Amino acid sequence: MLAIVLGVLLHAIWAAGKFLPKTPRYQHTMEIFDGQMCVFGGKSVSTTVNIDDFLLDYRCVDITKTVEQAHPKWKLQNSASQFAMPPLAQHTTVYDRVNHVIVPFGGQSPNGFSKAINLAVYCSMFQAWGASNVLDRDIRRYVHTSVLQEKTGDMIIFGGASDPTTADGQDLNAGNGERWFDVNRLVLDDARHNAYNTSSNATLGSILKDDGQGTPDVIRGVIHHSSVLLNDTLMVVLGGDVYVNGSAVMQPFDLLHIYNVDTMKWHAQKCTGDIPPLRCAFSASQHERHIYMFGGVNVNDWTTFFNDLYELDTQTWTWRKMPTPNAPAPRYAHQMKTLGNYLIVTHGFIYYKDGKNGGDEDIYFYDLQKETFVTRYSPSGISKRELDIEWRVQRTGATDAVSAVCLLLVVLIALIAVYYLLSMLFSRSRPRPRRQSRGEGILSFVESYTETLRPSTYHARASQDTTMFATETKLAGLNARSHSMSEGTTTIIENEQQTNALRESKRHARILDEDAATPYVSRKLTLSARIPTYSSRKNSAHQTVHFTPSIQSEDIIELNTLSSHSDDDSLDGIKSPLAVTN
């Protein structure tokens, strides 16, 4: 039990110090699930596609608690199947809260990597990566967009380009890559898909090309754009660039293109207000009726970065430039999600103060109510659905009571463990008994061995404070329990005073004298609790009893052997013994 308690305490201490340092990152993805904000994939500073350029960690921050912008507590999402996590950059991910899985699609891979046979997914309930049952049938791409239609479980994929890192190492279109025009949908949940589309019989992992109205020419093959799904039906495409006559043409923000996922039809939507400047590789997020857009880059020079924030009202289709006090550095290839009244911006490609460029290591929080960037995030007022913790066991009075009992047991076990440790420490500090010398050990061994030998002659070794007595008559008047004595047994009594003490304390002694012909070295006889210990040795064929040196030879008397006595025996005739010789 003590080991378990110490193990729990050590694990808690280890877990408390397991937070990861901040890491520069860009071209990654970000999802909010299970009360966590997690980032996955991307690169750190390099723009090449070697294996060392990709970040192979999946780290999260607990957003059910307060988060300091300058010191986020990153934790690594470890699992036994972490080897299944693909190295990706400029990919997309969607989170299916029904099945609790995060599905990445597309993206650049390191040189030499080929497209996987099955899509790798991350299960948020088991916190593990693994290969799914979804075959990766669609041609890989990057700088595309994907959104999830929750009612059908379909991933809607639009735009993007292919190059040697995304299409099984094949160089499409004579080294210039290939742009993708139409909308594809990947079936992630065939039960939901077929239940909504009753005429469909799609299987898991099917790639369905929409056969409705074709993509408008002005956005055919668009890349570096953003897509937002409104009301689980309308996919709004914002910004991006297309190639016209070999040069990039960025899309304006005063004319947006909207795709109806259910009817598979496109329509154009004019917008007014504070029209944002042309840009690409920005991030957009939707909250209720508004769409927010932050950052980006002008792809004509790749040197003009943005850090402004715009809000689009989807009822009036009006843009508004929002104030951005304490705004972070201009950036692109970052991620942004809306959570409650916060916009969460993670990492991005920026210019450093020394003039170099690379990934940003920080995350930022924009308060939509205060309309300013803040240094602290608080989960107060954010719904459980937005935090994706509504599926957790809800706290009730009963669960609180059980938690209190468990806490009390833990405290009690901890107190017992502390008491046990202290008692061990104090017991070790006490002086230990003196070790037995070698001579004493030998003597004890001899005495223990001769315990089994048969007695013959006894020499009484009385201590200085104990004197033995002898009597020629039967013991009389003794109220104590009678004793049976064998032949040849001698009881020695000193005087009347000690006889009274013997009567009061009911001392009893029994000495067995067996065959005297059997020789032995010594014998230790144990009497009652209040009678001293005697030892004897073989001396001669005659029984000899020696007493203290103070005995005078003229006072020697002969003792008669007592065969038995009872409680009615008297003590008359007792004489002061000195020595007895047979």
Side-chain angles (χ1 to χ4, degrees), residues 70-273:
H71 304 287
K73 297 180 179 180
W74 291 105
K75 283 192 174 182
L76 190 65
Q77 293 293 96
N78 281 323
S79 72
S81 60
Q82 191 174 359
F83 66 90
M85 182 179 66
L88 295 174
Q90 301 191 71
H91 56 290
T92 60
T93 56
V94 295
Y95 174 56
D96 184 4
R97 64 175 63 243
V98 175
N99 296 310
H100 299 280
V101 292
I102 296 174
V103 183
F105 180 80
Q108 287 185 319
S109 295
N111 286 330
F113 276 67
S114 62
K115 185 177 66 175
I117 299 176
N118 295 77
L119 284 179
V121 299
Y122 181 83
C123 180
S124 62
M125 293 189 67
F126 298 102
Q127 297 187 0
W129 282 95
S132 67
N133 295 327
V134 179
L135 295 177
D136 196 0
R137 297 171 179 170
D138 198 10
I139 297 179
R140 287 289 201 154
R141 62 191 76 184
Y142 72 112
V143 290
H144 60 286
T145 61
S146 63
V147 294
L148 178 72
Q149 188 178 31
E150 293 189 358
K151 59 188 175 185
T152 61
D154 295 341
M155 178 191 287
I156 312 300
I157 305 167
F158 177 65
S162 296
D163 67 1
T165 70
T166 60
D168 296 333
Q170 298 177 5
D171 190 0
L172 302 179
N173 197 16
N176 297 321
E178 185 165 334
R179 302 294 182 97
W180 298 99
F181 301 154
D182 298 326
V183 176
N184 288 357
R185 62 177 67 210
L186 174 61
V187 178
L188 300 179
D189 190 333
D190 53 350
R192 285 152 63 191
H193 177 88
N194 295 329
Y196 185 78
N197 302 280
T198 56
S199 60
S200 175
N201 192 23
T203 59
L204 182 67
S206 299
I207 300 294
L208 305 178
K209 292 187 178 181
D210 289 355
D211 54 1
Q213 181 184 2
T215 304
D217 292 338
V218 292
I219 60 171
R220 285 171 63 88
V222 67
I223 61 174
H224 299 128
H225 57 291
S226 291
S227 296
V228 176
L229 191 63
L230 294 177
N231 303 321
D232 209 33
T233 303
L234 301 176
M235 183 177 68
V236 182
V237 179
L238 301 97
D241 64 275
V242 296
Y243 271 135
V244 177
N245 298 325
S247 61
V249 177
M250 292 183 287
Q251 296 299 304
F253 290 95
D254 59 351
L255 182 65
L256 303 181
H257 296 274
I258 302 175
Y259 178 75
N260 191 310
V261 178
D262 294 335
T263 63
M264 304 181 188
K265 293 184 179 180
W266 288 91
H267 75 271
Q269 177 64 55
K270 291 185 177 182
C271 300
T272 59

Side-chain angles (χ1 to χ4, degrees), residues 426-434:
F426 282 111
S427 63
R428 290 183 178 181
S429 62
R430 297 174 182 173
R432 296 183 179 181
R434 184 181 63 86

Side-chain angles (χ1 to χ4, degrees), residues 30-62:
M30 183 250 290
E31 294 292 341
I32 294 175
F33 65 92
D34 192 21
Q36 301 178 99
M37 184 274 295
C38 298
V39 296
F40 160 61
K43 302 176 184 177
S44 182
V45 294
S46 177
T47 58
T48 58
V49 287
N50 297 318
I51 183 62
D52 296 335
D53 301 329
F54 291 80
L55 295 173
L56 296 176
D57 61 345
Y58 197 18
R59 56 174 61 194
C60 300
V61 173
D62 187 355

Side-chain angles (χ1 to χ4, degrees), residues 13 45 65 119 134 302 330 332 341-342 410 418 482 537 541 554:
I13 296 173
V45 294
K65 303 176 181 178
L119 284 179
V134 179
W302 290 99
Y332 73 94
N341 62 304
Y342 290 97
V410 170
V418 171
S482 64
R537 73 172 183 269
E554 60 270 20

Side-chain angles (χ1 to χ4, degrees), residues 476-490:
L478 183 63
N479 295 326
R481 181 180 177 182
S482 64
H483 304 272
S484 298
M485 314 291 287
S486 63
E487 293 183 5
T489 301
T490 304

